[in-house]
Amino acid sequence: GNQQHNSIMNAKYSVRSDVKQELSADFQPGQHDVVCGKGKKCFEHFGNQQLRKTTRFFLEEYSQATTKVEKSRIVTKILKIVQRQSPEGGFVKLD
């Protein structure tokens, strides 16, 4: 519930990208951010739930793709959807 939400909001995060970028000490992941890490807190975060739904939506198309280029295009679509929903963070990693 709320206690669980508060504990994830007090953790330290960094942007997950090609280059690790430290975020400000007061950064709090937004509702649509995908929190990369282990455990129930990350699994249950709303953004992570949305990522799983989005991934399931593209699963058949991805499974039918026959080349790496096609598969990469689908993964890029998913990443852009997450980044559009959460322009402040997108993918953040629990440190």
Side-chain angles (χ1 to χ4, degrees):
N2 235 5
Q3 248 181 342
Q4 187 175 34
H5 181 71
N6 287 340
S7 64
I8 199 168
M9 296 310 250
N10 294 331
K12 183 177 178 183
Y13 294 86
S14 60
V15 170
R16 181 144 187 183
S17 65
D18 290 344
V19 178
K20 188 173 182 177
Q21 175 187 344
E22 290 295 321
L23 298 169
S24 65
D26 61 347
F27 175 81
Q28 295 185 354
Q31 180 178 6
H32 292 282
D33 286 332
V34 174
V35 181
C36 302
K38 294 181 182 178
K40 190 175 179 181
K41 288 184 254 181
C42 294
F43 185 81
E44 291 182 347
H45 187 71
F46 181 78
N48 294 47
Q49 293 175 25
Q50 292 302 109
L51 175 63
R52 288 193 297 277
K53 287 179 185 177
T54 302
T55 302
R56 279 193 298 270
F57 178 81
F58 286 101
L59 185 58
E60 187 176 341
E61 182 182 350
Y62 184 88
S63 297
Q64 291 177 359
T66 57
T67 67
K68 281 187 175 183
V69 171
E70 288 177 283
K71 289 180 185 279
S72 293
R73 185 180 50 78
I74 296 162
V75 170
T76 299
K77 280 186 196 178
I78 294 168
L79 293 174
K80 286 184 178 179
I81 288 168
V82 171
Q83 291 166 341
R84 262 197 314 271
Q85 289 174 334
S86 183
E88 294 299 315
F91 289 86
V92 293
K93 183 177 180 228
L94 183 57
D95 275 345

